[in-house]
Amino acid sequence: MPIVPFESLPDDARVWVFGSSKPLSEKDSATLLARVDEFLADWKAHGDPLTAGRAFTSERFLTIAVDQNSANASGCSLDGLFRSLKELEPVIGSSLLDRSLVFYSDDAGTHSVHRDEFSALAASGRVTGSTPVFDPTVTSLGEWRARFQSQAANSWHAGLFPAETGKA
């Protein structure tokens, strides 16, 4: 039973979050999810099928979770996942593997910027401690459920604020 509903996976499931550099259209997100589902259906580590699920949120975030109680994702299996996503990037017209992006939301939607741009937005007051942010560094499904989306002041994002505005 390799692919399971994302919501059914336990809190200790390992997760990887991939943020799209731009919002994906309905067509591109359907393409992404179809290809990811094909990959997950055959995903194995050392010959053992991985029990995995996926979620796609905010038109930007692909989260893949593996229940490691049945089998652990290994280096080679993860390389396969990353390779598959890299191959998809030109198809959907967006980067999924750029770890330098910072994601935040405002009334206009969810945005991605580089860290220095986020710091400049904080310095100008366009983002504040109450700005919703997304943390793609979470590693377990429990963390994802608890803090993938939070306020900047309650996340590592607070460190990108100038000292005088800090957790405003």
Side-chain angles (χ1 to χ4, degrees):
M1 80 171 187
I3 299 178
V4 298
F6 185 79
E7 304 78 26
S8 72
L9 290 164
D11 279 347
D12 65 350
R14 175 89 190 270
V15 299
W16 296 268
V17 179
F18 304 95
S20 174
S21 59
K22 68 178 185 88
L24 296 184
S25 68
E26 193 172 314
K27 177 182 178 244
D28 288 336
S29 61
T31 298
L32 170 68
L33 294 176
R35 296 274 291 272
V36 166
D37 287 349
E38 286 175 24
F39 178 85
L40 294 180
D42 292 326
W43 200 16
K44 294 180 179 152
H46 304 292
D48 295 324
L50 295 172
T51 302
R54 54 89 177 150
F56 186 69
T57 56
S58 302
E59 299 176 330
R60 284 191 183 253
F61 301 106
L62 171 65
T63 303
I64 296 177
V66 173
D67 182 352
Q68 299 199 114
N69 293 314
S70 55
N72 291 327
S74 66
C76 291
S77 63
L78 292 173
D79 287 347
L81 171 63
F82 279 78
R83 198 171 32 257
S84 176
L85 293 176
K86 187 69 175 165
E87 290 170 2
L88 264 169
E89 289 180 333
V91 175
I92 62 173
S94 183
S95 172
L96 296 168
L97 302 174
D98 185 350
R99 293 299 196 187
S100 69
L101 296 176
V102 175
F103 298 91
Y104 72 96
S105 284
D106 62 18
D107 291 339
T110 300
H111 311 279
S112 62
V113 295
H114 288 94
R115 289 172 189 253
D116 58 341
E117 294 172 89
F118 187 84
S119 291
L121 290 169
S124 72
R126 289 193 48 211
V127 296
T128 67
S130 62
T131 297
V133 295
F134 301 87
D135 184 357
T137 69
V138 296
T139 60
S140 74
L141 192 50
E143 285 182 309
W144 186 89
R145 289 172 173 144
R147 64 179 185 84
F148 171 62
Q149 183 175 351
S150 64
Q151 292 185 338
N154 301 327
S155 175
W156 61 262
H157 297 76
L160 299 175
F161 283 75
E164 64 274 5
T165 59
K167 299 184 184 218

